[in-house]
Amino acid sequence: MSAPTQGNDEVTVQVRFLDERIAARPPQYATPGAAGMDLRAAIAAPFELEPGATALVPTGIALHLADPGLAALILPRSGLGHKHGIVLGNLVGLIDSDYQGEILVSLWNRGDEAFVVEPLARIAQLVIVPVIHARLVAVESFDPSERGAGGFGSTGHA
C-alpha cells in the first residue's frame, strides 16, 4: 500500500460489499476534484426521521484501511444539512485504520420537519485522510507565542 501524497494520488483501500445494491453502485468520486465519496443508505424500506431524532443507518460497506497512516472521516452532505437539517449525530465520524466492520452513519434531524430517508439515498460523504501519530513530550513551560493561552475571542475576531 502506498502512502498518501499531495494532490489526487490514489491509495488502495480494501472494501467489502455487504449489500449487493451498494456493490452495483459503489462509493465513488463524482468529479476529479471531489474530496469525498458518497455513502448510501443500505436500507430495505423508507423511514421517517422525526425532528430531533437520530438513526443509525447502515451503508452496506466495510472498509479496511490497513495503513495506520490513514483514517476515514464521515462527513455530512451539505445539501441535506442546509435544505433539510439532516446532519451527523456525532458531527464527524472517524474510521480507524484497523476497523473492519460495517460503516454505520448516525443521522440527526436538527430541522423542524420530518425527513424521509429513502433506500440508496446519498446520506453522507467518506473522505480518506492522512494521519500523523504524535509523541507527547512533557515540559514545564512552552516557548512564548503571540497568542499564548488566549482562548475564545482572544484574537479580536468574531
Side-chain angles (χ1 to χ4, degrees):
M1 175 172 285
S2 63
T5 60
Q6 298 295 326
N8 279 349
D9 291 337
E10 290 185 343
V11 296
T12 300
V13 174
Q14 296 175 6
V15 61
R16 286 182 51 228
F17 293 104
L18 309 173
D19 184 310
E20 62 190 39
R21 298 169 303 160
I22 302 300
R25 298 173 75 178
Q28 59 189 343
Y29 298 99
T31 67
M37 297 180 264
D38 285 327
L39 295 174
R40 296 181 180 274
I43 55 177
F47 73 91
E48 205 167 79
L49 190 59
E50 296 295 330
T54 60
L56 208 51
V57 181
T59 63
I61 66 167
L63 296 179
H64 184 207
L65 298 169
D67 181 348
L70 296 175
L73 300 178
I74 300 173
L75 303 171
R77 296 193 69 241
S78 57
L80 286 178
H82 179 71
K83 295 175 186 173
H84 305 287
I86 305 300
V87 295
L88 302 184
N90 54 343
L91 304 183
V92 174
L94 174 63
I95 301 169
D96 296 312
S97 65
D98 54 354
Y99 179 68
Q100 297 181 353
E102 181 172 16
I103 295 174
L104 302 172
V105 175
S106 174
L107 290 183
W108 171 34
N109 184 349
R110 64 173 176 79
D112 296 328
E113 297 179 11
F115 179 79
V116 176
V117 179
E118 299 284 347
L120 303 180
R122 296 178 300 159
I123 56 171
Q125 300 179 75
L126 180 77
V127 178
I128 309 292
V129 296
V131 171
I132 297 172
H133 286 175
R135 182 176 52 88
L136 300 180
V137 177
V139 298
E140 293 298 321
S141 63
F142 299 120
D143 291 337
S145 69
E146 185 176 332
R147 183 173 183 178
F152 295 106
S154 67
T155 62
H157 296 95

